[in-house]
Amino acid sequence: MSTTFDPVRVFRKLAYNNALANHRLLRACAALKPGEFEAQRTGFFPSIKETMNHIITVDWFYVDGMEGGTLGYQAFEVEEPFDDVESLAQAQANVDQRLIALCKALTPERLVSTVRLHRGDRIQEERMDDVLAHLSQHQTHHRGQVHAMLSGTSVAPPQLDEFIVADDAQFRGKEVAELGWSEEMLIR
């Protein structure tokens, strides 16, 4: 373990945590009984399906912008691009890997660089570290809603409230292997 302060470390860990939380949540969704994924529930988006689709489209928007892309609002052209958990989970894993790669390549200079987010009639300019923090907050918020919605289904909500700390390695070994990671990657 390094004893030198690394200002980008927290953003790498947030990206890994994001992917782990999405993996856990979508694995729980895959175990739902027919109709439970689409069923009307209480939340900002009124179903697990709608909320999980919102999470991925927002990821597409922000990750593309941080990568320097110009996707902009095209990310939202199809409000619910996925009808089934399997294809949603694969697409979410893909964008999660893009976010991890982006965060692994961060430098202190890149953290303060300007991200240009294409918002239709204007370009929003923000610091990279602020966009990363905003995305993490947004996704945590909506995953929490899905977590609560799962409480009213046949599937118990998965553990989402732990962060990636060394002491919790014993609880995530199987998932780390499923994601093709190692504990060493997570604690760097």
Side-chain angles (χ1 to χ4, degrees):
M1 181 183 297
S2 175
T3 58
T4 305
F5 177 69
D6 177 0
V8 299
R9 182 176 184 263
V10 69
F11 294 102
R12 287 192 305 267
K13 290 184 69 104
L14 283 168
Y16 280 119
N17 190 71
N18 177 70
L20 179 60
N22 287 333
H23 177 75
R24 286 177 174 172
L25 212 49
L26 286 161
R27 188 175 53 197
C29 289
L32 291 169
K33 291 179 180 175
E36 288 184 314
F37 184 58
E38 306 84 5
Q40 292 291 302
R41 303 187 186 281
T42 301
F44 189 84
F45 293 94
S47 72
I48 294 170
K49 176 187 170 192
E50 288 173 82
T51 307
M52 292 306 299
N53 271 280
H54 175 69
I55 289 171
I56 193 167
T57 57
V58 170
D59 272 346
W60 287 340
F61 174 78
Y62 283 109
V63 172
D64 175 77
M66 289 186 288
E67 292 171 333
T70 60
L71 178 65
Y73 282 167
Q74 291 175 2
F76 309 112
E77 279 183 352
V78 177
E79 199 168 317
E80 291 181 45
F82 300 99
D83 289 324
D84 65 285
V85 176
E86 185 178 329
S87 58
L88 175 60
Q90 183 57 55
Q92 185 65 62
N94 290 341
V95 75
D96 288 346
Q97 287 307 308
R98 288 170 53 202
L99 181 60
I100 289 169
L102 184 137
C103 289
K104 286 172 71 174
L106 284 174
T107 63
E109 296 77 24
R110 182 104 165 91
L111 272 178
V112 296
S113 68
T114 300
V115 174
R116 297 171 54 85
L117 300 167
H118 293 253
R119 296 232 176 231
D121 61 347
R122 67 185 178 92
I123 304 291
Q124 176 185 352
E125 294 186 347
E126 301 286 350
R127 282 175 43 140
M128 175 74 77
D129 55 351
D130 289 341
V131 175
L132 285 165
H134 171 77
L135 180 60
S136 179
Q137 172 64 23
H138 179 271
Q139 304 310 53
T140 300
H141 165 73
H142 286 295
R143 281 193 301 261
Q145 292 176 336
V146 171
H147 191 270
M149 286 186 223
L150 282 169
S151 297
T153 73
S154 62
V155 176
Q159 175 73 19
L160 295 183
D161 66 343
E162 64 187 32
F163 192 68
I164 297 177
V165 294
D167 195 58
D168 287 341
Q170 63 187 321
F171 303 116
R172 63 176 175 260
K174 179 182 176 200
E175 295 155 321
V176 167
E178 290 170 354
L179 291 164
W181 301 343
S182 69
E183 284 298 324
E184 184 177 295
M185 292 169 55
L186 300 179
I187 61 170
R188 274 191 244 153

